[in-house]
Amino acid sequence: MRHPSARALARPLALAVAATVIPLMSAAPASADSVVVGGFPVEVSESPWTVALTSRDRFGGTRAGQFCGGVAVGRTTVLTAAHCLGAEALGGPPEQVRDLKVVAGRGDLLSGEGREIAVRDIWVNPGHDDVANTGDFAVLTLGEALPPGSAIAMAPAGDPAYEPGTAAVVYGWGDTSGAGDYPTTLHAARVRVLSDSVCEQAYPGGEVGQYRPDTMLCAGEEHGGRDACQGDSGGPLVAGGKLIGLVSWGGECGRPGSPGVYTRLSAVLRTLGWDGGADAAS
Ligand code: ARG
């Protein structure tokens, strides 16, 4: 069986579709209502800070152009993954994607609920390394404010939510099986923060990618089953009511021994010089 490399999987939806078609035989078993793999459907009102990034021009209308997730950390501030805005994902610089939007308050992508908001400014972490997958975050400034109560607080460095064993939830519209089953509704999966050594062993470097504990966070289930997957990138990993990570990369979705790798929120806060409080980003 051919297993795709983590690099091949560390791609957003559009390219991941091609990448996931090949390893069908080795894909994780499909389950009817997973997220994210191994998850369950959720109402967006339960996680109003989970937003979709869309471009119908670039990704077509079938799923309203959804290609990545994002998370509102202020009424006009959304965090997402830097790789979601890279040329590989978008086919050019993000400024050229004229219909790039943040869709908020809409669980079913094909419904008319919530709002589609234009992106006023895009700041991609200049420290993002596309090959090493480090520094995988970007800040979007919205053209209009989200409703009050839409933003989630970010866990500062040292917050107990980062401790291994902590229960966490990941949200997204990504592949629910690892075989290219993209839902139109928002899903969530319960995972746990795993110790850095689990990801260091799974991702020692080379073909499969390298885990860096200072800027990345390891989460999933030791025995697999629940995980983020292609199309979830940029979306939130939440523990103790606070944001602790952004979906970034991983090996095969939901497989034992290939946990999910997230951008560590405390490293984002450090880079941005934010303190993590509810009003860090206005
Ligand atoms: N890079 C993927 C994306 O762009 C996310 C992959 C997460 N994979 C995982 N096994 N946790 O959507």
Side-chain angles (χ1 to χ4, degrees):
M1 274 198 298
R2 266 181 50 132
H3 283 251
S5 70
R7 281 299 305 151
L9 284 173
R11 288 176 182 172
L13 180 56
L15 296 152
V17 171
T20 49
V21 166
I22 306 150
L24 257 187
M25 287 174 57
S26 57
S31 100
D33 63 349
S34 26
V35 171
V36 198
V37 174
F40 51 92
V42 280
E43 295 293 327
V44 73
S45 55
E46 291 166 37
S47 62
W49 15 266
T50 304
V51 300
L53 302 196
T54 67
S55 164
R56 289 180 181 85
D57 278 0
R58 177 74 184 93
F59 298 96
T62 334
R63 293 173 62 261
Q66 188 271 344
F67 65 98
C68 266
V71 52
V73 296
R75 287 183 63 194
T76 57
T77 308
V78 164
L79 294 179
T80 187
H83 83 258
C84 289
L85 301 168
E88 199 184 349
L90 296 180
E95 293 74 20
Q96 272 174 25
V97 182
R98 271 168 298 154
D99 72 336
L100 177 70
K101 293 209 175 83
V102 161
V103 178
R106 181 177 300 171
D108 181 347
L109 295 169
L110 302 181
S111 77
E113 283 179 290
R115 285 202 284 172
E116 297 190 10
I117 302 179
V119 175
R120 201 182 69 207
D121 187 56
I122 300 171
W123 184 90
V124 179
N125 176 21
H128 170 234
D129 181 330
D130 204 26
V131 176
N133 277 323
T134 49
D136 194 10
F137 70 93
V139 183
L140 306 178
T141 306
L142 306 182
E144 281 167 64
L146 295 166
S150 303
I152 188 169
M154 299 172 276
D159 192 289
Y162 291 103
E163 273 160 33
T166 304
V169 185
V170 55
Y171 297 85
W173 287 268
D175 190 349
T176 58
S177 67
D181 295 315
Y182 292 97
T184 61
T185 54
L186 179 62
H187 284 62
R190 288 187 229 285
V191 294
R192 279 185 191 278
V193 176
L194 299 172
S195 69
D196 290 325
S197 62
V198 172
C199 273
E200 279 165 341
Q201 263 169 44
Y203 306 116
E207 268 253 323
V208 292
Q210 187 170 21
Y211 180 77
R212 315 262 185 113
D214 53 334
T215 60
M216 299 176 188
L217 181 70
C218 188
E221 287 288 322
E222 292 250 24
H223 302 290
R226 301 184 197 153
D227 195 5
C229 200
Q230 273 62 45
D232 290 321
S233 277
L237 178 69
V238 175
K242 290 183 192 144
L243 184 66
I244 59 170
L246 305 173
V247 176
S248 180
W249 62 283
E252 260 189 281
C253 307
R255 281 268 146 163
S258 74
V261 182
Y262 294 77
T263 309
R264 190 181 279 276
L265 238 291
S266 55
V268 173
L269 294 174
R270 186 175 64 224
T271 305
L272 294 173
W274 292 355
D275 66 10
D279 290 313
S282 49

